[in-house]
Amino acid sequence: MSEVQQSKSTSVSEGETLVEINDLKTYYGDGGLIDSTPVKAVDGVSLEIKRGETLGLVGESGCGKSTLGRTLIQLEEATSGEVLFDGTDITELSGQELKNWRRNSQMVFQDPESSLNDRMTVGEIIREPLDVHDWKTPRERREHVRELLDVVGLQPEHYYRYPHQFSGGQRQRIGIARALALEPEFIVLDEPVSALDVSVQAQILNLLEDLQEEFGLTYLFIAHDLSVVRHICDRVAVMYLGHIMELGPSDELFEEPKNPYTISLLSAIPDPDPTSSRERITLRGTPPSPRDPPKGCPFSTRCPMKIRPEEFRDADDDLWLNIEIFREVVRARTRADRSVTDQVKELLGMETRFSDIGEIQQELFADIDIPRDIEQHIDEATGYIENNDDQQAREYLRDVFGSVCDSDSPGDNVVSNSGRFSHCHRHLDEYDEPDEFTPYANR
Ligand code: ADP
Ligand code: MG
């Protein structure tokens, strides 16, 4: 036992840190005239990327992956927090210092159709960053571009062709050659194979692995497809609504996910083992708006393993699920743009779906055995809504039915010897209830 622990911890400390991110936040559009609530695309991320590793970044579309990647290479300005490269906070750089630093970090984009300028030849596209940085002599630049074509598996005569003459896979090779031109240490790969046919995906992934070995590159590999990430990444970070929910070595995280969100995501991948008893978890609804994230845990509105308040531990599971759904309906109402709804009402002279809370209550609770105290709370909330006070209803329901998941942001709890962490209250002793740690989302 102690031997295992030792060897694991040595192997982790062996890796030297290249990038250290501390409480990084990137918000869009705060202080705008139309809507002053910012989109909290990245909302307090802390992690490290080791030199020479591939760190995977996965999560549903819109969770903030591209924004995080773009902030790391300063294509997006951080709202707060630090991004340290070899100890230098690059969010503080500007002018010539920033320009010099930019050579070290590049990005490969998802869509090879739109990310290459169709009016430039392939040679010009790959050479452009060299020109911008006044790299060596023009003659050496041309030579370097020819080498790069060879390195990514393209032909010398491709130099004078135009991107539209190439297939998706070849275009992605052009994008990769361009990213390599200034000999960077770090590359953000933003869904580099998502737009490609499956047969071409493997070729590009192999190329990326070969290049990493040859040039000692460090990758942040962004994907929404978990199965791609498993084999190419050393460690994986799982992102949800601007937060990292779990981060650890790929194999461990795939074999024994600890965070309820990771568990849910993985359960959606078909299990090749026919004897497996793994349960498929279908998450209800969609993630909340990043303009209005939940107060406590970011995953609390959809978590299939959410902690219940003590006094309702014995409530019927189906009833409890409907209470959670009712709360989500109320949340959605507070999020909706009331003025738009009212306009529609005025224009059409009809009631919209936002006015029939009584019907929704019927739908959810009429056929269920509901204890008197719970029913009273639901009635009270419905009353607030009938008085047009959705916000008060939302807060009332949170006070009555909410748990630590609704009120407090979970910390990053270390969940294995490898230093893997998970952002969930369930890992604390006081909430660890193995018997209840079963998903109830499928009912
Ligand atoms: P992902 O790459 O995981 O799909 P993104 O980082 O692209 O997620 O987006 C995260 C959130 O930020 C989304 O809600 C998206 O709509 C929003 N967003 C992204 N770019 C901008 C922008 N330039 N202005 C305003 N909101 C943006
Ligand atoms: Mg993206």
Side-chain angles (χ1 to χ4, degrees):
M1 181 63 194
S2 66
E3 222 171 289
V4 172
Q5 273 179 2
Q6 275 203 337
S7 70
K8 286 238 166 129
S9 63
T10 344
S11 75
V12 166
S13 58
E14 256 171 28
E16 182 195 341
T17 300
L18 175 64
V19 191
E20 181 184 333
I21 305 168
N22 294 317
D23 201 18
L24 183 68
K25 297 181 181 173
T26 306
Y27 293 176
Y28 290 110
D30 41 343
L33 285 176
I34 299 167
D35 189 344
S36 59
T37 326
V39 173
K40 299 173 176 175
V42 173
D43 201 15
V45 165
S46 300
L47 57 83
E48 289 182 3
I49 305 174
K50 308 279 178 202
R51 197 181 291 280
E53 83 167 335
T54 300
L55 177 68
L57 181 62
V58 299
E60 288 161 286
S61 172
C63 70
K65 303 181 298 296
S66 295
T67 303
L68 177 56
R70 293 170 63 85
T71 310
L72 295 194
I73 64 168
Q74 288 295 284
L75 288 178
E76 219 66 71
E77 199 182 324
T79 305
S80 65
E82 290 180 324
V83 179
L84 306 173
F85 265 82
D86 283 326
T88 304
D89 184 359
I90 54 119
T91 66
E92 302 279 316
L93 299 180
S94 61
Q96 191 59 41
E97 275 183 329
L98 179 59
K99 189 178 172 190
N100 290 344
W101 174 81
R102 279 190 193 285
R103 299 173 62 145
N104 289 323
S105 300
Q106 298 293 325
M107 187 144 179
V108 172
F109 299 90
Q110 168 175 358
D111 187 359
E113 290 304 312
S114 59
S115 56
L116 304 178
N117 185 341
D118 257 319
R119 272 174 300 204
M120 290 165 80
T121 65
V122 169
E124 284 168 334
I125 289 171
I126 301 173
R127 207 183 64 202
E128 194 183 31
L130 300 172
D131 294 337
V132 168
H133 285 271
D134 223 4
W135 191 88
K136 297 188 183 171
T137 66
R139 189 202 158 97
E140 284 168 306
R141 287 176 213 167
R142 278 195 299 277
E143 239 161 60
H144 187 44
V145 172
R146 292 214 160 77
E147 282 164 18
L148 288 164
L149 285 171
D150 181 52
V151 159
V152 300
L154 294 170
Q155 304 303 318
E157 63 268 25
H158 291 157
Y159 195 103
Y160 296 105
R161 302 232 179 114
Y162 287 87
H164 69 264
Q165 296 172 285
F166 292 86
S167 68
Q170 282 174 315
R171 291 174 68 112
Q172 200 53 300
R173 287 176 195 268
I174 299 168
I176 292 168
R178 181 185 156 98
L180 289 175
L182 288 162
E183 298 167 345
E185 289 186 277
F186 178 63
I187 303 184
V188 174
L189 303 162
D190 192 354
E191 309 213 23
V193 298
S194 300
L196 305 177
D197 292 343
V198 175
S199 57
V200 182
Q201 285 189 0
Q203 294 167 16
I204 298 294
L205 292 176
N206 285 339
L207 172 65
L208 289 169
E209 284 189 304
D210 292 347
L211 294 172
Q212 178 168 47
E213 197 162 319
E214 186 170 350
F215 300 111
L217 299 167
T218 305
Y219 289 151
L220 178 70
F221 188 103
I222 298 177
H224 63 262
D225 184 349
L226 279 157
S227 46
V228 168
V229 163
R230 177 165 194 170
H231 299 289
I232 196 165
C233 297
D234 302 295
R235 296 187 306 148
V236 173
V238 179
M239 193 166 188
Y240 184 81
L241 206 60
H243 295 262
I244 303 299
M245 303 305 290
E246 183 165 4
L247 191 160
S250 298
D251 285 344
E252 247 186 53
L253 188 132
F254 276 86
E255 268 154 38
E256 202 201 344
K258 297 275 194 192
N259 188 278
Y261 181 59
T262 317
I263 295 172
S264 309
L265 270 190
L266 285 174
S267 85
I269 300 180
D271 196 332
D273 178 2
T275 63
S276 161
S277 61
R278 203 176 70 184
E279 200 177 347
R280 191 186 163 109
I281 304 169
T282 312
L283 292 179
R284 65 170 182 272
T286 49
S289 161
R291 276 190 207 278
D292 182 24
K295 188 161 170 270
C297 172
F299 192 44
S300 60
T301 61
R302 300 170 85 203
C303 181
M305 297 160 201
K306 188 173 169 182
I307 297 161
R308 284 191 206 179
E310 194 72 54
E311 61 270 37
F312 299 116
R313 286 275 151 81
D314 301 326
D316 177 72
D317 285 350
D318 290 336
L319 169 63
W320 193 256
L321 178 60
N322 286 9
I323 293 171
E324 292 285 358
I325 292 173
F326 185 71
R327 291 185 59 195
E328 268 182 71
V329 169
V330 174
R331 268 185 67 87
R333 291 174 58 97
T334 61
R335 272 210 303 272
D337 186 337
R338 297 294 297 180
S339 64
V340 171
T341 315
D342 291 344
Q343 280 173 28
V344 172
K345 257 191 212 174
E346 271 173 39
L347 281 169
L348 303 179
M350 57 187 272
E351 298 293 82
T352 69
R353 66 190 174 89
F354 293 101
S355 52
D356 47 0
I357 190 70
E359 258 176 54
I360 292 169
Q361 186 183 351
Q362 281 285 315
E363 171 102 26
L364 287 170
F365 302 110
D367 303 333
I368 289 188
D369 234 357
I370 176 167
R372 190 70 202 117
D373 58 330
I374 292 185
E375 190 171 32
Q376 275 169 350
H377 292 313
I378 301 284
D379 285 343
E380 175 114 15
T382 302
Y384 289 130
I385 292 169
E386 282 165 353
N387 285 326
N388 279 320
D389 201 345
D390 295 354
Q391 192 61 38
Q392 172 131 26
R394 174 174 168 175
E395 279 159 26
Y396 180 80
L397 290 168
R398 186 170 67 206
D399 287 347
V400 181
F401 296 122
S403 68
V404 64
C405 303
D406 296 277
S407 56
D408 297 351
S409 172
D412 288 336
N413 298 296
V414 173
V415 292
S416 83
N417 295 335
S418 65
R420 174 155 54 129
F421 70 78
S422 165
H423 196 64
C424 177
H425 292 295
R426 281 284 189 187
H427 304 300
L428 303 178
D429 286 345
E430 57 198 298
Y431 301 116
D432 183 26
E433 304 145 279
D435 295 342
E436 284 185 42
F437 209 97
T438 45
Y440 52 80
N442 284 336
R443 262 175 258 269

